[in-house]
């Protein structure tokens, strides 16, 4: 079975999250060492309370024929999207072997870092890891008025067919591979969706009170849109904008979408295109200059996103405006 392919990354996001894709620290560095990972890149989200969720694309092309090292114990889970097959993956928990499973590209596995999960490294592997602390699940439960999750319900060492994790994981893969075009708002949005899915599908999170309904108040919508417009590169997090409105991240995300018809990262993308149109009226500026001034990574990024949303390239749009102006 071939490795899962990343979806084309056409979201046009670009900004602060790109700085997280190069260096590993803390637990991610320990994971790389413990699993003998040869290449790894990551993104990070801190959208939920004070929790840090890291996303790590990892690859090892060597065969070590040994048990992986113990990872630092923490109150968190590793959600893994397999990007390649792994025949006979032997899993150890609490110092003893507990499973030997054939994992396929596209499978999801879950490991509890409180139970010293380890793996026998008999084959090369390619995986996407989400390290989600229980504090992130607790923040979701508290907002929903639901009991906090004690444990996730999963088969130890087993692969699960989870289309939502596969889809969100492939979206994150595309972001990791184009770090110059990803912004923190987009990363936060995807991590929020994935964490909520895991909490509901494997933790049994259920709402026991009505969540706040309705969109943002007019002043909240103005403040949120102004904050986004002031940071065209996207170097602002959902948590920062939500705080400006006095809301939790997940409540803000729902309310913003209800008020504007778009999630924040897509609103920002549309706004960049509108800014670019205004700037293109000044014919002294090159398209490369306009791309950067509008918050895009470069002219190629600008052209691709503009064409997707407007239907023509920036150059064609500008020429059409010139023809129409001259005819008038």
């Amino acid at each position: 079975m071939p490795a899962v392919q990343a979806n084309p990354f056409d979201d046009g996001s670009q900004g602060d999250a790109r700085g997280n894709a190069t260096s590993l620290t803390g637990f991610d560095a320990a994971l790389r060492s413990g699993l003998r990972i040869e290449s790894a890149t990551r993104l990070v989200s801190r959208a939920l309370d004070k929790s840090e969720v890291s996303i790590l694309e990892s690859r090892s092309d060597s065969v070590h024929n040994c048990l992986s090292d113990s990872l630092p114990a923490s109150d968190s889970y590793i959600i893994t999207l397999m990007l390649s097959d792994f025949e006979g993956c032997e899993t150890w928990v609490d110092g003893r072997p507990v499973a030997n499973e054939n994992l396929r590209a596209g499978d999801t596995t879950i490991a509890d870092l409180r139970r010293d999960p380890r793996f026998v490294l008999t084959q090369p592997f390619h995986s996407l890891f989400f390290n989600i602390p229980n504090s992130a699940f607790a923040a979701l439960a508290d907002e929903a008025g639901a009991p906090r999750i004690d444990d996730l319900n999963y088969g130890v060492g087993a692969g699960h067919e989870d289309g939502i994790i596969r889809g969100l994981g492939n979206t994150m893969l595309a972001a990791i591979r184009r770090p110059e075009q990803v912004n923190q708002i987009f990363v936060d949005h995807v991590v929020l969706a994935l964490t909520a899915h895991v909490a509901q599908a494997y933790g049994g999170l259920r709402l026991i009170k009505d969540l706040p309904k309705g969109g943002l108040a007019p002043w909240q919508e103005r403040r949120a849109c102004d904050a986004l417009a002031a940071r065209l590169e996207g170097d602002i997090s959902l948590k920062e904008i939500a705080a400006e409105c006095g809301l939790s991240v997940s409540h803000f995300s729902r309310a913003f979408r209800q008020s504007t018809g778009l999630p924040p990262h897509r609103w920002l993308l549309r706004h960049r295109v509108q800014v670019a149109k205004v700037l293109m009226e000044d014919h002294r500026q090159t398209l490369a200059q306009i791309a950067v001034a509008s918050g895009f990574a470069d002219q190629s990024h600008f052209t691709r996103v503009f064409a997707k949303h407007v239907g023509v390239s920036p150059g064609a749009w500008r020429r059409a405006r010139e023809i129409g102006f001259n005819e008038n």
Side-chain angles (χ1 to χ4, degrees):
M1 183 181 296
V4 173
Q5 298 298 310
N7 294 334
F9 184 62
D10 55 8
D11 204 78
S13 302
Q14 181 244 339
D16 185 63
R18 58 188 172 185
N20 294 321
T22 54
S23 60
L24 303 185
T25 59
F27 177 83
D28 293 330
L31 182 68
R32 178 171 187 170
S33 175
L35 295 182
R36 314 294 198 274
I37 294 169
E38 295 166 1
S39 64
T41 50
R42 76 164 185 168
L43 295 171
V44 174
S45 172
R46 301 178 181 85
L48 287 164
D49 196 26
K50 298 178 181 179
S51 306
E52 178 178 293
V53 175
S54 63
I55 308 101
L56 195 72
E57 181 185 6
S58 305
R59 181 190 293 274
S60 176
D61 295 319
S62 301
V63 175
H64 298 283
N65 285 319
C66 67
L67 187 63
S68 66
D69 296 339
S70 291
L71 301 173
S74 67
D75 190 16
S76 62
Y77 288 89
I78 291 287
I79 313 298
T80 303
L81 175 65
M82 300 298 299
L83 303 177
S84 62
D85 295 349
F86 197 113
E87 299 288 339
C89 181
E90 185 175 326
T91 301
W92 288 48
V93 170
D94 293 331
R96 60 186 182 86
V98 296
N100 190 306
E101 300 280 347
N102 294 327
L103 302 178
R104 303 301 181 198
D107 282 352
T108 291
T109 67
I110 301 176
D112 186 343
L113 290 173
R114 297 170 296 186
R115 301 187 60 194
D116 187 25
R118 302 170 74 184
F119 311 91
V120 179
L121 305 174
T122 58
Q123 298 171 45
F125 65 87
H126 185 198
S127 303
L128 185 69
F129 298 111
F130 290 85
N131 180 21
I132 306 180
N134 270 314
S135 57
F137 296 130
L140 283 175
D142 290 347
E143 182 183 342
R148 291 189 173 186
I149 297 169
D150 293 323
D151 294 292
L152 298 183
N153 181 22
Y154 61 97
V156 176
H160 307 275
E161 268 289 333
D162 191 315
I164 293 177
I165 290 180
R166 185 170 61 250
L168 292 173
N170 284 342
T171 298
M172 282 280 76
L173 269 178
I176 286 174
R177 293 169 181 176
R178 283 182 169 175
E180 75 283 356
Q181 295 182 18
V182 66
N183 65 50
Q184 192 62 55
I185 299 170
F186 175 72
V187 174
D188 290 346
H189 174 79
V190 175
V191 167
L192 185 64
L194 185 135
T195 303
H197 169 69
V198 171
Q200 293 172 8
Y202 301 97
L205 178 67
R206 294 292 181 269
L207 305 183
I208 62 173
K209 72 175 185 181
D210 291 335
L211 292 174
K213 292 185 172 65
L216 298 172
W219 71 269
Q220 292 172 317
E221 184 176 347
R222 283 195 305 272
R223 185 167 294 183
C225 292
D226 287 348
L228 287 166
R231 307 273 281 275
L232 282 176
E233 295 82 2
D235 59 341
I236 187 172
S237 68
L238 279 181
K239 189 174 182 179
E240 291 176 84
I241 305 172
E244 286 282 326
C245 298
L247 301 172
S248 68
V249 171
S250 51
H251 181 194
F252 166 75
S253 296
R254 286 191 301 271
F256 185 93
R257 185 166 193 160
Q258 184 160 343
S259 292
T260 67
L262 295 167
H265 69 280
R266 290 200 178 277
W267 185 96
L268 177 60
L269 184 59
R270 186 182 65 178
H271 185 69
R272 284 180 187 163
V273 171
Q274 296 304 317
V275 169
K277 286 181 175 180
V278 173
L279 293 177
M280 280 192 286
E281 300 287 354
D282 181 355
H283 298 285
R284 294 171 297 179
Q285 294 194 65
T286 67
L287 292 179
Q289 291 171 323
I290 291 168
V292 174
S294 304
F296 294 98
D298 51 35
Q299 186 174 343
S300 174
H301 181 212
F302 170 43
T303 299
R304 178 172 54 80
V305 174
F306 190 94
K308 178 186 176 183
H309 285 77
V310 181
V312 296
S313 69
W317 186 89
R318 190 180 227 182
R319 288 191 295 273
R321 297 283 291 182
E322 290 174 354
I323 293 170
F325 178 79
N326 291 333
E327 288 179 347
N328 292 330

